[in-house]
Amino acid sequence: MSMYQDQKAIQLTPQLREYLLQVGVREPDLLKKLREQTANMPERNMQILPEQGQFIAMLVKIFNPGRILEIGTYTGYSSLCMALALPEVRITALDKNPEWTKIANKYWQDAGVSNRIELTVGLALDTLKTFDDQSFDFIFIDADKRNYLNYFEESLRVVKANGVILIDNVLWNGRVIDATHDDPGTQAIRKLNDLISTDPRVEICMVPIGDGLTIVRKK
Ligand code: CA
């Protein structure tokens, strides 16, 4: 039996989450509009939740990075959260899909932040390799899971010392502990979680918000 068995963390029921959203999240209108538009798309589950968006925006406000890198932009919700969080911050956004990022671009323009977001459409790993060491202060990883280990290693290279890397979907809807799931994406997330748990290069904090978000600080 686990030594943590007697300690109870709260289980977020749908009703309790509803309450959290009501009293704990202030979602700007434009983000709400983007979320509603994305809700009609088949890949809508790739979008972060509003409570996550607010959490990441709060981290950005507290940490005050100059340059942010986002790996996996989708329709732009998280990048818009981060751009709105700080008036000066510059974001480099990577995604392979021109249709999704067309929507992102429209919302960045509507919000007046498009001049601070530089999007590269293509394979993120190829683009990552073109960046110099220690170019970024803050990185958000939320692209294809099969490449998570590669994204993490490249992120460690391009982030500054004491910089932050956020990794989304680290609990992967529970599949990380479900032996019936063994697809390449699930395997990659498990491998990365295992690696990070003892990686001497970083400090970590795994947060059970949304689908699980690990905050990594490079030493
Ligand atoms: Ca995600």
Side-chain angles (χ1 to χ4, degrees), residues 45-48 140 142 145 148 168-169:
N45 285 337
M46 285 170 43
Q47 186 171 58
I48 59 166
F140 180 44
D142 191 16
K145 309 311 169 201
Y148 256 32
D168 194 30
N169 303 104

Side-chain angles (χ1 to χ4, degrees), residues 5-6 21 27 42 47 54 61 76 96 102 111 131 147 157 169-170 174 180 182 196 199 203 209 216:
Q5 203 81 24
D6 292 338
L21 288 168
E27 187 180 38
Q47 186 171 58
Q54 182 178 261
K61 279 173 200 266
K96 64 174 182 192
K102 208 169 119 187
F131 298 140
N147 272 309
R157 181 182 69 77
N169 303 104
V170 291
T180 63
D182 214 22
I196 289 176
D199 193 330
E203 296 166 315
I209 186 170
V216 176

Side-chain angles (χ1 to χ4, degrees), residues 83 87-91 105 108-109 111-118:
E88 305 274 301
V89 71
R90 303 195 70 82
I91 300 175
N105 243 315
W108 296 339
Q109 269 164 28
V113 300
S114 59
N115 59 326
R116 295 191 281 118
I117 303 179
E118 192 189 334

